[in-house]
Structure formats: C-alpha cells, structure tokens
Amino acid sequence: MHTVVIGGGIIGLTTAYQLASEGETVTLVDARATGLGAAEVNAGWVVPADSLPLPGPGAVVSAMKWMTRRDSPLYIKPSIKPSFLTFMLGMFRASNAKDQRAGFAAHLALMGDSISAFDDYRADGIDFELQHNGLLMAFHDDAHMHLHLGYADLTGRFGIAPVKLLGDDVRVHEPLLRDEVRGGLFFPKELHLDPRAFGASLHARLVDMGVEIVENAPVDGVQTAGGRVVSVSSGTRTFPGDSFLLAAGAWTGPVSKLFGADLPIRPGKGYSVEMPPYGLKGATNLYDAKVAVTPFADRLRLAGTMEFGGLDENINRVRVDAILRAPLSYLRDWEPPAPADVEPRAGMRPVAPDGLPVMGRLPRLSNAYVAGGHGMYGVTLAPATARAMTALIRTGKIDPVLLPFSPARFRGGR
Ligand SMILES: Cc1cc2nc3c(=O)[nH]c(=O)nc-3n(C[C@H](O)[C@H](O)[C@H](O)COP(=O)(O)OP(=O)(O)OC[C@H]3O[C@@H](n4cnc5c(N)ncnc54)[C@H](O)[C@@H]3O)c2cc1C
C-alpha cells in the first residue's frame, strides 16, 4: 500500500518512519523543508507526566490577566471572526478540572510504553542527542505544586509518579536553584532530545528506507473519486496514493478544507532561544513563568509563550526578552544574554479548542486520515501517534486509545 503523508514535521516524519518500518511505500510531501518551525524550535521534552491539556481550571482568568501584559506568556489576538469565536468558546468550555483530567488520562493511555521508542529510533541509526535525566518542575507558588500533585494518582497508575522536593530538598536535587524556589516535583523517567538533530536524522533515515521526500510542495489540491482520495497536488505536481495522512501541524485547519472537512486547529506560537551551556542537571520547567529550560551537551535552550494570532512565524522581541529574563528568579547567577547575542526562532503549535490532538479518519472519505493538533506535546506523543495511525491506515481498525481524539468531536470533522 502506498501512503502519501502531507507534512514533514514531527508527526509526519515519525508516522512515515513507522509506515516504512512496517513495509509500506511512503511519499512525504512538505510545503517547505522538513523539520522546520515547531519541529525545530521546540524544547525537546518527552514528558508524559507533564502532558496536561492546555485548557484547565483557572485558565480563563489567567488568560484575561495576561492579556493586559505585553510580556506575558499567553497572548490572544482578539478577532470577531466566527471561527475564532467558536474556537475560544470551545476552549472556555474545556477549561475545567474534569475535562483536563480526562484529557491527561487520554494522553497517558495513548502513550502507554511508547517512550522507549526514542531509544529504538537511536538503535535503528537515527542519530540525535537523547538525555534520560528526568524533568524537574520548579515552583514559586505552592498552589501550583499542589495542583499538579492532584494528578499523582494518574501519573502513579502509569508508573511515572513524581518525587516531591519541598523547601531546600529541591536545591539538594538542583543546586543551581535560587532560594525563592519553594519546591519542586521531579519526574525521573522523562527524557529530552535535540529537536533539530532528531528531525534531520529522521529525514536521512527515511531516505535510506526508500521513502520519497518531496520538499517545497505545499499541497493545494485534493482529487477524489467515489468517496476516496486518488491524489493530492501541489501546483502542477500530482501525488497519487492508496491512502493519505494529513499531518500539516498548525496548517491542518486550512488544509483540511481541501479534504472537505473544517478542523478547528489554530496556531499557538512559541519561541526558543539558545545560548552557551549553564550547567543544569536536566530539563527544568520554570513552572510559574511558563518557561522550559533544556540543557543540551553544547548549549542551553529556553522556550516559551503561547500566542494565538495568525499563521505566521514573526518574532515578538518583547516576549522573547521575557523568556530570557524568566530564569532570574529561579536560577542562581543568571545573566540574561544581550538580545543582540541570541537568535530567537518561532514555531507554531497546532492547537485544538479542547487542547487534545485530532486523530482518525476524515469525514466522508474512506482512505484519508488526520493526525494534528498535538499542541504542546507533539514530540512527546509522536511515537504513539505514529504507531496508532499506522495501524489505522494499514488495517482500517481504530485502536481504542485513539477514540478521545476523534475528528468527529467537532462539527467540521463529521
Ligand atoms: C516553543 C515550542 C516549544 C515546544 N516544546 C515542546 C516540547 O518540549 N515537547 C513536546 O512534546 N512538544 C513541544 N512543542 C510542540 C511540538 O513542537 C508540536 O506539537 C509539534 O511540532 C507538532 O508536530 P506536527 O508534525 O503536527 O507539526 P509541525 O512540526 O509544525 O509540522 C507541520 C509540517 O507541515 C508542513 N505543511 C504545512 N502546510 C502544508 C501543506 N499545505 N502541504 C504540505 N506540507 C505542509 C509544514 O511545512 C511543517 O513541516 C513545542 C512547540 C513550540 C512552538
């Protein structure tokens, strides 16, 4: 069977890899080069234990508060477009403890033991930095820590419960933390990887495996016959296949219209910046500031902000500067680099109103599928997504772990 994958970000690359590993013929088509944007600039965290959906209790109040600050970690560009208003209403409805817990449990069930896939990728010659030194959440605010501890039953059930570090215990664990940090949660089983190297090496491995990769070919047409897609096209170029997977990240919403759907996936822009190494023991979540700190062997990466605006990767320097300053109240001797010394990069997270991925068969087409909307957790969820979508495409049978993510939960996916 020949599958055409539309989008060479994390989800498209890993699913193409899984399909090819299981003996399928694959063509992967990307609008530009593979592995750019969110796939490249993300923090590189593989963090099932941190995969709470974005909408949650208090999210609406925080959003309103933050909207008044130019340097806040969350920004929503107001619009009166019906699609925007419907999206925000959906997010508002999902901002409650019950839905957030159900979404978190659905993420964990989807992931299962897939975290080991990253070691398997490396064992198969995909060469990228992968660190097994856990994730530390550092808190200024006890309430935030207790909120997260409320999920310890769930994380415990999946074997990834945290170690609680109160007061100075957190500094015993990570001596670089300042005294203002009141506590932390350490999740020993979480990983982090170098996203740029991961994308580039996965691309190279796909080429070795015989996957056809077509770059600079934005899909702008879908040809159907008898309730099936027969090909997709980009300008004058046509890509025929037996099945089609839409994995276009933040662009999935508009591209889904070519397939006769209208999925409510919007871009949630974030930034990352790199600088010389700082000496942290492992990935650290500056929880209250919403900034991710990732120590690689040869550099440090800071990532943050969620901006709901247009489909663009423009850089807002005020928010980037806020990311650079965030560690001042968490890390000892932190000196923010001069803005001129860093080269910020932007990427767009694909976000659905309920903060959950959108995965399954597209409506009214027997051989077209979607895997998008992974929001803040595309790296974390990628291997599990790749496995479940490959099984669906190959057998037509839907794994029950995919059910909470069905496109049919939205009007434009039915
Ligand atoms: C600052 C930041 C930090 C993050 N940190 C983490 C983290 O630590 N851990 C984690 O798990 N996740 C993280 N994420 C989220 C993660 O990066 C995303 O969830 C993930 O990249 C989504 O993968 P994707 O393949 O769906 O989309 P993308 O990676 O964006 O890929 C989509 C691809 O589709 C292509 N495309 C678009 N339109 C078309 C078209 N018409 N035709 C063909 N191709 C098309 C694009 O060119 C692109 O290559 C972070 C994101 C950001 C922005």
Side-chain angles (χ1 to χ4, degrees), residues 103-272:
F104 189 22
H107 280 163
L108 293 173
L110 169 69
M111 269 178 272
D113 62 0
S114 65
I115 199 160
S116 62
F118 291 95
D119 290 309
D120 298 340
Y121 293 152
R122 280 175 49 84
D124 190 36
I126 301 169
D127 185 21
F128 57 99
E129 180 178 339
L130 178 67
Q131 301 274 356
H132 287 78
N133 43 16
L135 169 73
L136 176 67
M137 291 179 184
F139 298 93
H140 280 155
D141 186 338
D142 293 339
H144 289 157
M145 184 158 89
H146 287 114
L147 193 85
H148 217 285
L149 271 174
Y151 293 104
D153 60 326
L154 262 186
T155 48
R157 203 187 309 154
F158 286 87
I160 49 174
V163 178
K164 199 158 100 183
L165 301 165
L166 292 180
D168 283 338
D169 285 353
V170 75
R171 274 169 285 283
V172 172
H173 176 87
E174 176 51 80
L176 288 173
L177 289 177
R178 293 177 63 97
D179 292 346
E180 292 98 305
V181 176
R182 294 177 56 88
L185 296 178
F186 178 60
F187 296 87
K189 295 196 177 159
E190 315 297 275
L191 319 177
H192 71 262
L193 56 78
D194 180 344
R196 195 177 300 143
F198 182 52
S201 190
L202 202 42
H203 178 126
R205 183 73 185 97
L206 290 179
V207 173
D208 285 349
M209 294 167 92
V211 171
E212 181 191 18
I213 300 185
V214 185
E215 297 187 315
N216 302 311
V219 166
D220 55 13
V222 174
Q223 294 76 46
T224 59
R228 290 175 66 77
V229 176
V230 288
S231 57
V232 294
S233 51
S234 174
T236 55
R237 303 173 74 183
T238 300
F239 306 100
D242 304 308
S243 52
F244 296 81
L245 173 67
L246 173 58
W251 293 267
T252 298
V255 182
S256 73
K257 292 184 183 170
L258 302 175
F259 288 84
D262 188 5
L263 297 174
I265 295 176
R266 297 189 77 88
K269 186 159 64 181
Y271 307 104
S272 69

Side-chain angles (χ1 to χ4, degrees), residues 34-35 41 47 79 86 129 159 193 209 223 250 268 273 283 316 331 355-356 361 369 372:
T34 66
V41 312
V47 286
S79 163
T86 311
E129 180 178 339
L193 56 78
M209 294 167 92
Q223 294 76 46
V273 265
N316 178 323
L331 302 180
L356 298 180
R361 200 157 59 76
Y369 305 87

Side-chain angles (χ1 to χ4, degrees), residues 6-12 29-39 41-47 217-220 247-251 255 268-272 303-304 347-350 371-381:
I6 300 146
I10 293 169
I11 300 300
V29 185
D30 198 284
R32 43 188 184 175
T34 66
L36 297 181
V41 312
N42 69 75
W45 292 4
V46 180
V47 286
V219 166
D220 55 13
W251 293 267
V255 182
K269 186 159 64 181
Y271 307 104
S272 69
M348 291 178 290
R349 306 172 185 90
H374 290 72
M376 301 184 293
Y377 309 116
V379 184
T380 304
L381 297 170

